[in-house]
Amino acid sequence: MSNDPTEALPEPSSHGWSSVDKVVVGVAGGIIVVVCLLGVIFTQQVGDVTAAALSWVTTNLGWLFVLSATGFVVFALVLAFGRYGGIPLSREGEEAEFSTWSWVAMMFSAGMGIGLMFFGVYEPVTHLVDPPPFTGAEPESPQAASQAMAFTFFHWGLHPWAIYSVVGLALAYSTFRMGRGNLMSAPFEALFGEDRIKRRGWGKPIDILAIICTKFGSATSLGLGALQIAAGLSLLATGEFVDDPGVTLPIIVILVLTVGVVFSAASGISKGIKWLSNTNMVLSAALLTFVFVAGPALFILDLLPQGIGAYFTNLIPMSFQSAVFGGGDWLASWTIFYWAWWISWTPFVGNFIARISRGRTIREFVLGVLLVPTAVSMIWFTVFGGAGIHLQVNGVDIAGEGNEAAAFFAMLQQYPFFIGTSIVVMVLTAVFFVSGADAGSLVLGTLSTRGSERPWKPLVIVWAVLTGAVAAVLLFVGGLAALQTFTILAATPFVLIMIGLCVSLYADLRRDPMRRRRLGPVRGSAEVTGTVPFTQPVVDDESSERP
């Protein structure tokens, strides 16, 4: 059996422009361009309409985000520890395509890199001085500090990575084990059949929605990164924090970094994203170590178990917290925004981690995607957020310095080598910007070339440029608020797609011959063992002897 990593994938027979799905690209690209033009021309009107739409979504559909996110955690864990955990995301005998180190680095960098830089200090400190309304904690009290870490871990821990994992798992299984195209619509062939999804065009609306959702979700992250880099540049240039830095400098940052995205996208996954991700892992570890050593190391060590304990103690109440008895504005600004942000990234991150996870078992995939990034996030927020909390409770007003993007720099300003560490933060954010946009453009290219694992490079570059343009337009329309609003609105319909992916994956797994059988007969085993491509049919000895 050949181990060629591309043999199992049905590549389009044509190349170049002829490989592009004109309907998907035309409709998705047209909608994105129209939204951007409307935002530039009718800025105030677009802002009013989207604000009203956001209010309706958070009021009427907040429960859907809350229940879905928790449901994805349960679904992922059931698959990992159940009878399907040993099934490989490949043909039998294929080994993992990337080393574990590179696998984790690429997954982590693509999944939430910029967010870690933007919210690493800002979120814990904000929850400290303005506690969530459900906690009843006094601002800047020990209880507020404990709850601040609990909610931060909640927003960056198991839930977001479970959201990524269910989509990535459905795509990896469908692509590498079932041999279907690498499209968001491909897993739905398990429910509706190949003829309807692929030939009759039922899958095109799913792929179009995935592209739109990815575009606005990734633009949000890039906008946050640009705001943070602009805040750092402004601080180094003037020596002061600026409450309202405007949008001119962040847009210039986006334009400059988009050039880097184009070069990275043109180099391909092995050369571009892998190198950038590994570089960021090293720089991140160096910055983390510096703050731990230069900062309140003992306080940080004490805060880690305290935060983890608070997180797991409150995990179930936090997972089902709704606005039925108040707190709707807080939920919309934090939890619902986060769940929507992660969901809007799932077409991109799910597709990307599926692509780099070939050869791993379902159990290895789920545990790797859930546990490793969650553990790293806990350490990250404990060190940086803990340093910020320590300064805040000891009289340094981190929360009141400038805007949201300035919190990280306000913390670093209290330690030695401020200029050097600030430059490292901006470099990290820039590389996260480039690697995230690069990976996103690659996935968009795949979605718009009928699932090609090697999409046409000019199209990938176009998507890269358009990602930067969308981020710039959203900043122009309304800054951080506009980024959050468009993220939630774009993610809302995709929740239903994710639920459908879970159902489709389960339907496929029930027919997999490598599932661990329960005692007693398995319904339909005689007729489904040969339905999974690239495996040897498994024959039940007792079944084969029956007449």
Side-chain angles (χ1 to χ4, degrees):
M1 180 179 291
S2 170
N3 285 326
D4 179 5
T6 64
E7 185 176 326
L9 291 173
E11 286 289 315
S13 58
S14 55
H15 302 281
W17 174 247
S18 58
S19 68
V20 176
D21 189 326
K22 279 77 171 178
V23 174
V24 170
V25 172
V27 175
I31 292 174
I32 293 168
V33 170
V34 168
V35 170
C36 290
L37 290 176
L38 289 175
V40 172
I41 299 172
F42 304 103
T43 305
Q44 183 62 46
Q45 293 87 336
V46 169
D48 293 341
V49 170
T50 55
L54 175 65
S55 176
W56 186 91
V57 167
T58 54
T59 300
N60 296 282
L61 298 178
W63 61 270
L64 178 62
F65 285 99
V66 171
L67 291 180
S68 297
T70 302
F72 297 141
V73 176
V74 174
F75 181 73
L77 292 176
V78 168
L79 291 185
F81 293 105
R83 60 199 298 226
Y84 307 113
I87 296 175
L89 302 174
S90 65
R91 297 173 295 173
E92 271 61 70
E94 285 187 344
E95 297 182 356
E97 187 174 358
F98 295 98
S99 69
T100 300
W101 170 263
S102 292
W103 180 55
V104 172
M106 288 189 288
M107 177 172 57
F108 195 72
S109 180
M112 49 181 59
I114 286 178
L116 290 175
M117 302 302 300
F118 190 91
F119 290 101
V121 175
Y122 171 65
E123 179 170 359
V125 171
T126 299
H127 294 332
L128 172 71
V129 300
D130 186 16
F134 324 105
T135 64
E138 292 294 326
E140 300 193 30
S141 65
Q143 182 186 3
S146 180
Q147 291 298 318
M149 297 310 300
F151 272 94
T152 301
F153 289 170
F154 175 56
H155 292 148
W156 295 84
L158 294 175
H159 279 69
W161 285 100
I163 290 170
Y164 290 156
S165 71
V166 295
V167 174
L169 190 56
L171 292 172
Y173 185 92
S174 177
T175 302
F176 300 127
R177 190 150 179 83
M178 297 302 295
R180 302 177 183 132
N182 192 22
L183 290 171
M184 192 62 60
S185 59
F188 287 89
E189 292 181 21
L191 297 179
F192 303 109
E194 180 181 0
D195 182 65
R196 290 189 180 94
I197 294 296
K198 187 177 293 185
R199 297 184 179 87
R200 297 189 190 180
W202 286 25
K204 291 187 186 298
I206 298 173
D207 296 326
I208 290 170
L209 182 59
I211 290 175
I212 295 171
C213 194
T214 300
K215 183 57 60 181
F216 286 104
S218 59
T220 296
S221 297
L222 302 188
L224 294 178
L227 286 172
Q228 186 159 40
I229 293 174
L233 291 174
S234 177
L235 176 61
L236 292 179
T238 65
E240 297 179 354
F241 292 104
V242 180
D243 291 333
D244 184 12
V247 298
T248 302
L249 184 56
I251 290 177
I252 292 174
V253 170
I254 289 174
L255 295 178
V256 172
L257 291 181
T258 300
V259 176
V261 175
V262 170
F263 281 109
S264 180
S267 67
I269 184 172
S270 296
K271 296 179 181 178
I273 302 172
K274 182 178 177 181
W275 184 87
L276 289 171
S277 300
N278 288 336
T279 299
N280 257 19
M281 289 288 282
V282 174
L283 288 175
S284 299
L287 183 63
L288 189 84
T289 303
F290 169 78
V291 172
F292 176 76
V293 173
L298 183 59
F299 177 83
I300 290 170
L301 291 174
D302 285 336
L303 186 63
L304 181 60
Q306 177 73 25
I308 293 174
Y311 170 56
F312 284 109
T313 299
N314 295 284
L315 181 58
I316 292 180
M318 290 188 298
S319 298
F320 294 97
Q321 183 67 59
S322 71
V324 64
F325 296 119
D329 291 340
W330 189 92
L331 281 173
S333 299
W334 290 101
T335 302
I336 293 177
F337 162 68
Y338 273 127
W339 294 172
W341 192 16
W342 307 141
I343 289 170
S344 71
W345 267 55
T346 54
F348 152 37
V349 179
N351 196 306
F352 182 72
I353 62 176
R355 178 170 178 170
I356 63 177
S357 300
R358 182 184 206 146
R360 302 185 183 274
T361 65
I362 288 178
R363 182 174 298 111
E364 184 182 10
F365 178 94
V366 171
L367 295 182
V369 173
L370 259 66
L371 300 185
V372 175
T374 295
V376 174
S377 294
M378 286 180 171
I379 295 172
W380 182 276
F381 281 100
T382 301
V383 172
F384 294 114
I389 287 175
H390 186 266
L391 291 169
Q392 185 73 36
V393 297
N394 283 280
V396 180
D397 189 14
I398 301 296
E401 293 283 4
N403 53 40
E404 301 90 345
F408 213 112
F409 298 105
M411 179 269 295
L412 290 176
Q413 197 176 34
Q414 306 304 314
Y415 300 121
F417 311 113
F418 169 64
I419 295 178
T421 54
S422 295
I423 292 174
V424 170
V425 168
M426 287 186 286
V427 170
L428 268 172
T429 305
V431 179
F432 275 132
F433 183 112
V434 174
S435 61
D438 182 357
S441 300
L442 183 70
V443 169
L444 290 171
T446 295
L447 291 173
S448 51
T449 53
R450 302 181 180 90
S452 171
E453 194 180 38
R454 297 180 180 86
W456 189 38
K457 280 190 178 180
L459 181 62
V460 174
I461 292 172
V462 168
W463 283 126
V465 172
L466 191 56
T467 298
V470 172
V473 168
L474 292 183
L475 284 179
F476 179 78
V477 169
L480 179 60
L483 296 174
Q484 293 177 320
T485 297
F486 277 88
T487 297
I488 295 175
L489 295 180
T492 300
F494 206 79
V495 176
L496 303 179
I497 301 298
M498 288 188 62
I499 295 173
L501 284 172
C502 293
V503 176
S504 300
L505 175 61
Y506 181 70
D508 266 338
L509 291 174
R510 283 180 58 83
R511 296 190 287 265
D512 195 295
M514 286 193 66
R515 70 190 187 280
R516 183 168 56 82
R517 302 176 189 272
R518 296 174 179 146
L519 294 177
V522 178
R523 290 182 298 166
S525 61
E527 57 184 68
V528 301
T529 52
T531 61
V532 179
F534 321 124
T535 62
Q536 296 296 324
V538 178
V539 179
D540 189 325
D541 291 337
E542 294 183 4
S543 298
S544 62
E545 294 175 0
R546 296 190 186 106

